[in-house]
């Protein structure tokens, strides 16, 4: 890593000028907006109480939050399944896709599946609906009020959710109480607020030329955390049940909140007069994407946002089906191979980070994103027709650059808006990401059973075709930029 990259990653007290912080009357020079950290007291809003000596800033917050989320998500579904099975008197186990049974399906098992799916949907929708309003509020407010609170408050909310889940497990309360924990998390902004705060913080503290790599480092944190949680969660649940893993979830979220409070430097100048509950915050998000956005970049924002939506939807949708595809015929994988497959999926985050680091020395970010989408398309095409273990892992191998496109898109979106709008932008991106999860579940989980008897891998083929749209948009926009540059030169 060269010196410029190292300096961009060090967690100094960076600040960026914020147009929203300047009083309406008169103009203020950019120098007057920067926090003079040299004269800060230890409790100055722009400086953490104990500056971290390591070359990291918000990466541990995102890692811990993602680890706790990835650890608890499969456990939530399994806990619902077990509790509902007890309530309806079902003593069977959920069979794999290769089970050979000529008898009629057990009506109790069908009831358990239906109730589990319904409660999972209720809990997800409750958190998403409440979190959608709060993340836009918190994200836009952070442009004036500061980034650290947008990291601390959601982490505390996720810890409260884990606490409610532990109470439900200890006291064996009805599963409906899990909804209360999810609502508490949603009211604090949920994980999407942490995403928005972390990416906005990196946008504040990074040089535009190095921003794509910094964003890719954050995304690599997501992948590594998800890989570790997927390896640990299943084995731990089988050996010790649900309660101990949820204590770790609680500890991770509290640690993330404490780290953000004590060690993360503030990246914008906090405005004490900034109010949290104000319509102006939601209006700022609407202005951001409106026709009169900063510099007239509204159309470009919408196109890049569309690309981001399509790419992330395909990522989420295909990932939900991989395990089901592997468990069923003709692959019929066991738990060990499924674990190796999950690890191979998450390794694409690290390989994409390395590929992005190397390719950006010779290629523009847009072409790196197109190469990443090409890698993803090739992988989905191979997986759609995979009938052997070797072919399936070949598909995972071709997926090595698939995660290079999303950091490029986040970075391009960040560069299109004013520094004072980074919080509103990444709050919007986080909401789009939450919407992607819902759309991906609905579309891909509907396509799979509908096309099972025609072509089992059709959802993956559909995903590959869908990715041609963002690849075409990104390539076309880059070609137009190159033409414009040649025209002005």
């Amino acid at each position: 890593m060269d010196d410029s990259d190292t300096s961009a990653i060090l967690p100094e007290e960076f600040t960026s000028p914020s147009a929203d912080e300047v009083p309406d009357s008169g103009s203020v020079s950019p120098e007057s907006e920067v926090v003079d950290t040299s004269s800060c007291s230890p409790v100055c809003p722009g400086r953490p109480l104990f500056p971290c000596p390591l070359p990291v800033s918000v990466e541990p917050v995102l890692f811990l939050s993602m680890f706790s989320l990835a650890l608890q998500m499969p456990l939530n579904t399994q806990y619902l399944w077990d509790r509902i099975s007890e309530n309806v008197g079902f003593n069977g186990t959920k069979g794999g896709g290769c089970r050979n049974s000529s008898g009629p399906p057990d009506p109790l098992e069908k009831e358990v599946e239906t109730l589990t799916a319904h409660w999972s949907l209720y809990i997800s929708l409750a958190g998403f609906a409440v979190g959608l309003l709060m993340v836009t509020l918190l994200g836009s407010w952070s442009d004036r009020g500061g980034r650290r609170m947008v990291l601390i408050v959601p982490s505390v909310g996720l810890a409260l959710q884990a606490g409610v889940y532990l109470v439900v497990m200890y006291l064996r309360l009805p599963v409906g109480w899990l909804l209360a924990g999810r609502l508490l998390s949603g009211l604090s902004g949920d994980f999407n607020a942490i995403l928005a705060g972390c990416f906005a913080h990196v946008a504040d503290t990074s040089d535009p030329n190095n921003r794509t790599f910094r964003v890719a480092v954050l995304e690599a944190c997501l992948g590594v955390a998800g890989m570790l949680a997927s390896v640990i969660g299943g084995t731990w649940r089988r050996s010790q049940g649900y309660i101990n893993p949820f204590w770790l979830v609680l500890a991770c979220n509290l640690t993330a909140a404490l780290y953000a409070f004590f060690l993360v430097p503030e990246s914008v100048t906090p405005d004490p007069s900034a109010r949290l509950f104000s319509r102006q915050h939601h209006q700022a998000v609407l202005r951001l994407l409106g026709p009169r956005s900063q510099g007239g970049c509204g159309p470009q924002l919408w196109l890049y946002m569309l690309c981001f939506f399509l790419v992330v939807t395909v990522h989420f949708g295909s990932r939900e089906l991989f395990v089901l595809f592997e468990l069923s015929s003709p692959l019929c994988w066991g738990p060990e191979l499924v674990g190796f497959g999950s690890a191979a999926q998450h390794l694409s985050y690290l390989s994409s980070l390395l590929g992005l680091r190397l390719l950006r020395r010779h290629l523009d970010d847009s072409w790196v994103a197109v190469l990443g989408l090409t890698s993803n398309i090739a992988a989905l095409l191979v997986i759609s027709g995979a009938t052997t273990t070797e072919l399936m892992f070949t598909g995972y191998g071709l997926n090595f650059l698939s995660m290079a496109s999303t950091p490029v898109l986040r970075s391009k979106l960040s560069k299109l808006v004013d520094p004072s709008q980074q919080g509103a932008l990444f709050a919007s991106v986080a909401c789009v990401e939450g919407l992607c999860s819902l759309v991906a579940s609905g579309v891909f989980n509907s396509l799979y059973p509908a096309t099972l008897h025609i072509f089992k891998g059709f959802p993956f083929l559909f995903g590959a075709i869908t990715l041609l749209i963002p690849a075409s948009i990104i390539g076309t926009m880059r070609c137009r930029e190159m033409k414009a540059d040649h025209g002005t030169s």
Side-chain angles (χ1 to χ4, degrees), residues 309-321 432-447 459 462:
F309 172 80
L310 293 174
V311 171
V312 176
T313 297
V314 172
H315 284 172
F316 285 166
S318 57
R319 197 173 300 160
E320 284 193 8
L321 295 181
V432 170
E433 203 161 353
L435 181 62
C436 289
S437 179
L438 292 179
V439 173
S441 296
V443 172
F444 280 80
N445 286 326
S446 299
L447 275 177
F462 172 78

Side-chain angles (χ1 to χ4, degrees), residues 22-320:
V22 181
D24 293 336
S25 60
S27 60
V28 180
S29 62
E31 289 82 0
S32 65
E33 296 175 13
V34 180
V35 176
D36 183 9
T37 56
S38 61
S39 61
C40 282
S41 65
V43 293
C44 175
R47 187 186 183 111
L49 296 178
F50 307 101
C52 182
L54 301 177
V56 293
S57 55
V58 294
E59 290 84 359
V61 177
L62 191 61
F63 178 88
L64 290 168
S65 300
M66 182 62 198
F67 179 84
S68 66
L69 186 70
L71 181 63
Q72 72 179 8
M73 283 182 64
L75 296 180
N76 289 343
T77 304
Q78 294 176 69
Y79 182 76
L80 283 171
W81 175 275
D82 289 344
R83 286 294 306 276
I84 292 172
S85 296
E86 292 178 10
N87 293 340
V88 302
F90 175 63
N91 297 321
T93 58
K94 192 173 182 179
C98 296
R99 180 180 55 182
N100 294 319
S101 177
S102 57
D106 191 332
L108 285 179
E109 182 178 9
K110 202 70 177 175
E111 183 181 355
V112 170
E113 287 179 338
T114 302
L115 289 173
T116 302
H118 285 172
W119 274 110
S120 297
L121 179 63
Y122 300 153
I123 293 171
S124 297
L125 285 178
F128 175 76
V130 178
L132 182 67
L133 296 174
M134 290 303 300
V135 71
T136 52
L137 187 70
L138 288 168
S140 183
W141 173 83
S142 72
D143 288 327
R144 299 185 62 190
R147 308 292 187 208
R148 290 169 65 195
M149 289 305 297
V150 182
L151 303 177
I152 296 169
V153 172
S155 297
V156 173
L158 288 169
L160 289 175
Q161 174 184 300
V164 171
Y165 282 24
L166 282 169
V167 171
V168 171
M169 293 173 187
Y170 273 113
L171 302 181
R172 301 193 63 80
L173 298 176
V175 294
W177 282 98
L178 298 177
L179 194 61
R182 194 72 184 90
L183 287 172
L184 283 175
S185 175
L187 286 171
S188 68
D190 205 19
F191 179 69
N192 286 335
I194 296 176
L195 280 178
C198 288
F199 283 112
H201 191 285
V202 163
D204 295 334
T205 59
S206 62
D207 182 85
N209 295 326
N210 195 46
R211 188 166 301 167
T212 301
F213 181 73
R214 289 290 312 279
V215 171
V217 170
L218 279 182
E219 297 220 0
C221 290
L222 295 175
V224 174
M227 178 175 63
L228 290 176
S230 63
V231 171
I232 294 172
T235 305
W236 198 0
R237 202 277 299 179
R238 282 195 299 272
S239 61
Q240 296 187 4
Y242 296 100
I243 290 178
N244 286 342
F246 269 90
W247 275 113
L248 179 60
V249 170
L250 177 64
C252 284
N253 287 308
L254 288 177
T255 303
L258 292 172
Y259 177 91
F261 182 77
F262 288 110
L263 298 174
V264 173
E266 185 56 84
S267 59
V268 299
T269 307
D271 182 0
S273 65
R275 292 187 303 162
L276 176 59
F277 296 101
S278 172
R279 289 182 299 176
Q280 294 179 354
H281 301 315
H282 289 110
Q283 290 170 353
V285 174
L286 295 177
R287 286 196 304 270
L288 180 72
L289 300 174
R292 298 181 180 179
S293 59
Q294 177 76 23
C297 295
Q300 288 179 289
L301 279 172
W302 276 104
L303 284 173
Y304 281 129
M305 201 74 83
L306 173 63
C307 292
F308 184 83
F309 172 80
L310 293 174
V311 171
V312 176
T313 297
V314 172
H315 284 172
F316 285 166
S318 57
R319 197 173 300 160
E320 284 193 8

